[in-house]
Amino acid sequence: MNHLLDELMNRVEGCEQENRRLRKVIKRQNFIWLATLLAAVISTATASIVTKNDVFGTIQARDITIVDQNGIVRARMSGDMPDAVMYGGHVAKRGAQAAGFMIYDKDGIERGGYVTFDHDNAMLSLDSKHHMIASLIAGPSESGTGVLNLSSQQNAMELRADDDGARMSISKSRIVQQQIPAIEPLMPETCNHWAKLEREYPNENVCRSRFSETACRRCLTDK
């Protein structure tokens, strides 16, 4: 009887020892899990802060497009800007490859931009949904050419400074009505240039889009 009681007590003591051991193991595992979770939280928070405040020295891309919540393109930076899409899906050709920054309205229609062209002009423009309304142009030559254009569908005003002089031109239907001061006569190089354009585009009054009737008649008559 005493032998059985001693054996039972030994088993109870063994169970208690095993229970104490298991408690230590579970406690140790819980500590490890908690430490791992805390480290993960700290790491995530630190990564978020680093990403938020990180400054990239260089970002290289051919095209960066910004869209709104409806997926409509609202701004674009590109090394090869596509042609302008105006109201009704009309595509306005740029006439030369351009690189720079463009803005678009909620309908995805181009409304302006700041670009350089392959012919080396730099231009800042603001557009209606149908055509260009205002533009500021800088030419590439050492002597310099500066142009400010404001236009409606029929009327336009241009401030220009180039090798021919500085003047203000008021136009209607792309024909100069008044020029202050009038550029008369045209320099030989200028006259040759516009006479060539007149031959290439007959009956389009290309010279009259830039100069007075007197200056163009004298130039073209001489030619």
Side-chain angles (χ1 to χ4, degrees):
M1 186 70 163
N2 291 333
H3 175 73
L4 292 175
L5 182 61
D6 290 341
E7 184 177 353
L8 180 61
M9 292 299 294
N10 289 334
R11 289 184 178 182
V12 170
E13 178 65 23
C15 288
E16 290 181 351
Q17 290 179 356
E18 182 65 17
N19 187 41
R20 286 193 296 270
R21 187 186 70 80
L22 290 175
R23 286 181 178 179
K24 290 181 180 179
V25 171
I26 293 172
K27 185 176 181 180
R28 187 181 304 111
Q29 289 179 340
N30 288 341
F31 176 79
I32 293 174
W33 290 341
L34 180 60
T36 302
L37 178 62
L38 183 59
V41 171
I42 294 175
S43 177
T44 301
T46 303
S48 176
I49 294 174
V50 170
T51 302
K52 182 177 180 180
N53 296 326
D54 198 9
V55 177
F56 297 94
T58 301
I59 298 177
Q60 185 171 342
R62 289 188 176 89
D63 191 286
I64 299 176
T65 302
I66 308 299
V67 299
D68 62 16
Q69 66 273 18
N70 298 315
I72 303 298
V73 175
R74 302 303 300 269
R76 168 175 277 153
M77 295 179 66
S78 177
D80 187 6
M81 197 66 67
D83 291 327
V85 178
M86 310 305 287
Y87 184 78
H90 169 68
V91 177
K93 297 292 185 180
R94 300 194 191 281
Q97 286 189 314
F101 178 80
M102 288 291 178
I103 56 174
Y104 304 81
D105 65 15
K106 62 181 179 61
D107 299 315
I109 296 174
E110 185 175 310
R111 299 299 300 276
Y114 181 34
V115 299
T116 57
F117 291 93
D118 280 6
H119 52 51
D120 285 336
N121 280 349
M123 182 175 73
L124 176 66
S125 67
L126 296 173
D127 311 334
S128 72
K129 286 180 175 290
H130 303 270
H131 57 85
M132 190 181 301
I133 295 296
S135 64
L136 180 62
I137 302 171
S141 65
E142 183 177 0
S143 58
T145 297
V147 185
L148 172 63
N149 278 302
L150 302 174
S151 64
S152 65
Q153 189 171 15
Q154 293 294 327
N155 304 298
M157 181 178 69
E158 178 182 272
L159 299 178
R160 176 180 288 266
D162 57 22
D163 292 339
D164 294 300
R167 69 271 193 191
M168 178 179 69
S169 302
I170 307 298
S171 302
K172 185 176 181 63
S173 299
R174 299 187 69 247
I175 300 296
V176 172
Q177 306 294 317
Q178 185 179 13
Q179 191 171 81
I180 305 172
I183 305 300
E184 298 175 9
L186 303 184
M187 295 192 308
E189 297 83 357
T190 302
C191 182
N192 290 336
H193 172 73
W194 289 95
K196 179 182 178 181
L197 290 178
E198 285 284 345
R199 292 191 296 271
E200 292 177 358
Y201 305 99
N203 304 318
E204 293 189 21
N205 293 316
V206 290
C207 181
R208 292 287 284 110
S209 68
R210 181 68 60 82
F211 301 102
S212 69
E213 181 179 3
T214 301
C216 289
R217 184 172 60 248
R218 180 175 178 179
C219 171
L220 299 178
T221 299
D222 293 341
K223 297 300 177 184

